[in-house]
Amino acid sequence: MCGIVGYIGNKDVGSVVLVGLEKLEYRGYDSAGIAAVEKDGLFVKKKMGRLSNLYALLENRRIDGHIAIGHTRWATHGRPSDENAHPHTDCKNQIAVAHNGIIENFKELRSELESKGHKFLSETDSEVIPHLIEEYYDGSLFDAVLKAIQRLEGAFAIAVVSSLEPDVLIGARKDSPLIVGVGDGEMLLASDIPAIVSHTHRVIILDNGEIAVLKKDGYQIFDFNGQKREKAVTIVDWDAKSVELEGFPHFMLKEIFEQPHVIEANLHQYLRNNEFMLLKDTNLRRLLMNKRSILIEACGTSFHAGMVGRYLIEKLAKIDTRVEFASEFRYREPVIDQNVLIMAISQSGETADTLAGVRLAKEAGLEVLSIVNVRDSSIARESDYVIYTNAGPEIGVASTKAYTAQILILTLLALELAVLKGHITEEDAKGYADELRLLPGRLAQILEKDAQIQHLAEKYYNFNNFMFLGRGINYPTALEGALKLKEISYIHATGYASGEMKHGPIALVDENMPVVFVNPKTSVYEKALSNMKEIEARGGRIISVVTEGDEKAPEISTDVFYIPKTDELLTPIVSIVPLQLFAYHVAVLRGCDVDKPRNLAKSVTVE
């Protein structure tokens, strides 16, 4: 989950790399470092903590060179420290390596290298890589890197520079993302597009088992056997402004406020008049029509979206649907056969456990449909079919707009399948289409009440425990609301299905445990209302998210937030927005770093 940036060209390399690391700091921020080739040799500086600490270390120090690599770390092997920060170097300080991933056989390699006289300065698994390259170097950096990576077991994306060959930047990947940016008289390496989009929109996505050799005036791509490969250049349609704050104090708040636009853009693409357009690929349509069941595998927020998807697909399309944590799915022996479609959901398209689940399914000969945000990501490339959520870059670690976009795609998919299978009429389809078109406006209505939610946060930000409850299609909303609060404010928050509350969790209820009840007007409203009364009877504080015009729930609530009326199946998209805002304002009031919460990173690319 670390971030890598590499540059070779005529610009100020220090500035290019450091600004690139700023764009990737969501991938990890335990430490940061830079290595550059200067006239006198390798220049390396690294510092524990945020990137600002590295900036301070380099103050008034211009790097005199045209090639450099940088790294921002999310610690796995070895605690956050100056010594464990990347880039790591060899014994002679001639080779520097930045690494994202985990080297599983590093202990054996380290023991072997130490027996040959190599001295290690850190606790990390990554440090074996520059020492291996040093061991194999015999006049060709490319050959040495090639031999070294063939010894590595596990996942890695690496960037390599050396004072021995000051005009070459090398990158290689296996199960960790790495892209090449193709510029004019300059080349870049990065873990993700935000780091390079201000320099070039021409990108090469490295596949597993590929190594890139970059010089100022061009590039070559090889496989791990040293055979040259031809690669297509992809044009990235991101605007550089999309990875800027544009006046917002945090990316998370910006991305919450982008949700009406994201929903509208997806509806424009996937809903024409009253016709749903996701399944225009006849092979995908035939596949979904003939599958007996669907197994959704995902992690974190995407898992919660999958839970909503299960409800929608079963209710509308009448297809048996399961949802599994990808981290569990990949390590058990699921009962799956050719009648099962595997559906993978991931914002980044690089989530390690979800990607492993895709590969497990493919090895079993099953078809995979992925729902992802990032185009040409690993999950997208390795799936049989892809539906993109078109949410644009999401920089805040806590996912917001990607979640509502995922639910919208799942809603459209369920509706289209229902129409194709004859489970809903054309008139019903038109009714749903009309309701969908109102979603952007309804989300905008909620965002206009941001000050009201901030006032609510001011009342509750000092509480240290919260319970979130929801029922039916909004049970996942309760889980997601709790996750958002705990992720960015470090408050202990737990979510439950409200019907299960009396089977244990109710023991926690007292005046110090606010209970957030997600109970818009749905088919289970009255049932959930009874659960609210059980909380009230025990002196609990209730914060309720209810539909405008509701008169019953407010009578037994301490505080209320009203959401616009919408169809029951669309309530998860509407009801999560106030909970996102509540979590955001609570975190700000508690002095937390909203966009970079402790111990977390945006893309979980390691186990």
Side-chain angles (χ1 to χ4, degrees):
M1 285 187 288
C2 307
I4 293 172
V5 178
Y7 177 78
I8 181 168
N10 294 318
K11 293 175 181 173
D12 179 348
V13 294
S15 176
V16 172
V17 170
L18 290 172
V19 172
L21 291 179
E22 287 180 16
K23 307 301 183 186
L24 295 184
E25 202 174 9
Y26 63 86
R27 296 181 64 88
Y29 28 87
D30 292 328
S31 60
I34 188 170
V37 179
E38 297 187 314
K39 292 179 182 178
D40 297 331
L42 207 59
F43 170 80
V44 180
K45 289 291 182 182
K46 46 191 185 175
K47 192 68 177 174
M48 185 180 78
R50 298 295 172 87
L51 186 60
S52 57
N53 295 345
L54 180 62
Y55 267 106
L57 194 64
L58 293 169
E59 190 174 8
N60 301 322
R61 172 57 160 90
R62 181 182 172 85
I63 295 175
D64 182 20
H66 63 267
I67 181 171
I69 58 174
H71 186 273
T72 181
R73 183 175 186 239
W74 187 80
T76 54
H77 292 66
R79 70 193 188 283
S81 69
D82 292 352
E83 294 77 17
N84 290 333
H86 297 219
H88 290 292
T89 58
D90 66 319
C91 295
K92 300 172 185 176
N93 202 45
Q94 295 176 323
I95 299 165
V97 175
H99 167 232
N100 172 35
I102 292 177
I103 306 304
E104 295 174 355
N105 62 333
F106 83 96
K107 288 184 179 179
E108 296 89 338
L109 292 172
R110 180 165 176 156
S111 178
E112 174 189 323
L113 289 162
E114 285 177 331
S115 71
K116 295 179 178 180
H118 289 263
K119 304 296 183 183
F120 285 78
L121 304 177
S122 79
E123 306 166 302
T124 71
D125 57 325
S126 308
E127 196 183 356
V128 299
I129 304 173
H131 288 280
L132 270 176
I133 297 171
E134 176 189 18
E135 185 69 22
Y136 288 123
Y137 187 80
D138 188 22
S140 169
L141 184 62
F142 172 73
D143 289 343
V145 172
L146 202 58
K147 290 176 181 177
I149 60 180
Q150 289 168 348
R151 297 287 311 278
L152 303 178
E153 297 175 9
F156 58 84
I158 60 171
V160 185
V161 293
S162 174
S163 59
L164 298 166
E165 298 184 27
D167 61 345
V168 177
L169 170 61
I170 294 179
R173 76 156 287 189
K174 176 180 177 288
D175 293 333
S176 288
L178 193 65
I179 62 173
V180 174
V182 181
D184 296 320
E186 61 184 4
M187 299 293 296
L188 300 101
L189 277 175
S191 298
D192 205 352
I193 292 168
I196 67 171
V197 73
S198 61
H199 301 281
T200 182
H201 287 257
R202 292 177 288 167
V203 170
I204 296 170
I205 310 294
L206 292 182
D207 287 312
N208 267 344
E210 290 187 335
I211 180 169
V213 180
L214 311 182
K215 296 189 176 184
K216 282 185 184 181
D217 56 357
Y219 63 91
Q220 290 181 303
I221 310 295
F222 302 87
D223 63 23
F224 280 7
N225 293 317
Q227 299 299 308
K228 192 173 180 180
R229 286 189 173 180
E230 299 298 324
K231 297 285 291 186
V233 174
T234 300
I235 304 301
V236 176
D237 60 1
W238 288 7
D239 186 327
K241 288 184 178 180
S242 62
V243 293
E244 302 294 339
L245 283 168
E246 297 186 86
F248 284 89
H250 300 96
F251 279 107
M252 182 180 179
L253 187 63
K254 177 191 176 189
E255 289 155 8
I256 291 172
F257 272 79
E258 286 176 342
Q259 287 175 115
H261 171 73
V262 171
I263 297 297
E264 188 170 27
N266 274 298
L267 290 174
H268 178 74
Q269 180 168 345
Y270 296 130
L271 179 62
R272 306 283 173 83
N273 296 320
N274 297 319
E275 186 179 2
F276 303 105
M277 307 290 290
L278 282 178
L279 302 179
K280 290 308 162 187
D281 183 320
T282 55
N283 290 325
L284 176 57
R285 184 166 66 248
R286 187 182 303 113
L287 180 73
L288 280 162
M289 290 292 286
N290 291 316
K291 291 298 181 183
R292 184 188 65 234
S293 64
I294 295 172
L295 191 152
I296 299 172
E297 55 118 4
C299 301
T301 288
S302 295
F303 177 84
H304 297 155
M307 292 178 69
V308 177
R310 174 182 61 187
Y311 187 100
L312 292 163
I313 294 168
E314 290 192 336
K315 181 177 179 63
L316 292 168
K318 313 300 181 188
I319 300 175
D320 174 55
T321 304
R322 289 180 283 160
V323 188
E324 299 215 18
F325 288 112
S327 56
E328 292 296 320
F329 171 67
R330 62 179 294 196
Y331 286 116
R332 66 182 192 84
E333 297 182 9
V335 180
I336 49 178
D337 57 29
Q338 298 301 315
N339 291 310
V340 179
L341 172 70
I342 303 300
M343 185 184 294
I345 306 177
S346 168
Q347 188 281 135
S348 67
E350 301 292 348
T351 312
D353 289 315
T354 309
L355 179 56
V358 169
R359 290 172 177 165
L360 184 153
K362 298 290 290 179
E363 288 169 6
L366 303 183
E367 294 98 339
V368 176
L369 166 63
S370 65
I371 297 175
V372 299
N373 188 36
V374 180
R375 292 180 180 273
D376 297 313
S377 55
S378 296
I379 291 174
R381 294 199 310 276
E382 296 191 30
S383 300
D384 298 285
Y385 303 94
V386 186
I387 299 173
Y388 289 108
T389 56
N390 304 307
E394 189 177 64
I395 306 301
V397 167
S399 183
T400 52
K401 63 177 180 175
Y403 176 69
T404 49
Q406 287 168 348
I407 295 176
L408 178 67
I409 295 300
L410 289 162
T411 305
L412 294 168
L413 180 64
L415 285 165
E416 188 163 356
L417 284 170
V419 171
L420 291 170
K421 287 176 170 286
H423 295 309
I424 62 174
T425 66
E426 288 187 10
E427 185 178 350
D428 289 335
K430 181 183 182 302
Y432 283 119
D434 290 342
E435 282 290 311
L436 284 162
R437 292 191 189 92
L438 294 173
L439 274 176
R442 285 171 172 156
L443 297 188
Q445 284 180 255
I446 295 172
L447 295 172
E448 288 171 1
K449 299 178 182 178
D450 180 44
Q452 179 183 334
I453 298 173
Q454 183 176 359
H455 178 69
L456 195 65
E458 290 169 355
K459 185 175 178 180
Y460 286 97
Y461 77 96
N462 280 320
F463 285 84
N464 293 315
N465 298 281
F466 278 78
M467 186 186 299
F468 286 69
L469 299 175
R471 195 158 194 154
I473 199 169
N474 279 292
Y475 163 45
T477 309
L479 296 177
E480 178 62 12
L483 178 61
K484 287 284 94 60
L485 188 63
K486 74 178 76 171
E487 279 182 314
I488 62 172
S489 72
Y490 319 141
I491 290 172
H492 174 256
T494 184
Y496 292 99
S498 61
E500 289 298 300
M501 174 264 302
K502 56 185 172 290
H503 295 287
I506 197 170
L508 297 171
V509 173
D510 61 21
E511 67 279 4
N512 296 314
M513 168 75 84
V515 178
V516 180
F517 239 109
V518 186
N519 193 22
K521 282 293 181 69
T522 66
S523 57
V524 292
Y525 170 79
E526 293 292 343
K527 292 290 184 184
L529 195 65
S530 297
N531 300 138
M532 293 177 69
K533 291 177 178 176
E534 292 169 340
I535 297 293
E536 181 203 25
R538 286 155 180 83
R541 299 171 183 261
I542 298 174
I543 306 168
S544 59
V545 178
V546 297
T547 304
E548 290 175 348
D550 187 337
E551 296 179 353
K552 295 180 181 179
E555 289 182 354
I556 53 175
S557 301
T558 311
D559 291 282
V560 179
F561 187 84
Y562 293 99
I563 60 174
K565 183 179 180 181
T566 189
D567 186 274
E568 175 173 356
L569 301 186
L570 306 184
T571 54
I573 295 175
V574 179
S575 60
I576 191 57
V577 177
L579 301 184
Q580 294 170 343
L581 287 169
F582 181 73
Y584 169 80
H585 288 299
V586 166
V588 169
L589 289 164
R590 290 170 71 94
C592 301
D593 191 334
V594 173
D595 286 335
K596 302 180 184 72
R598 69 187 183 200
N599 303 332
L600 296 178
K602 183 68 178 172
S603 303
V604 185
T605 59
V606 297
E607 280 194 72

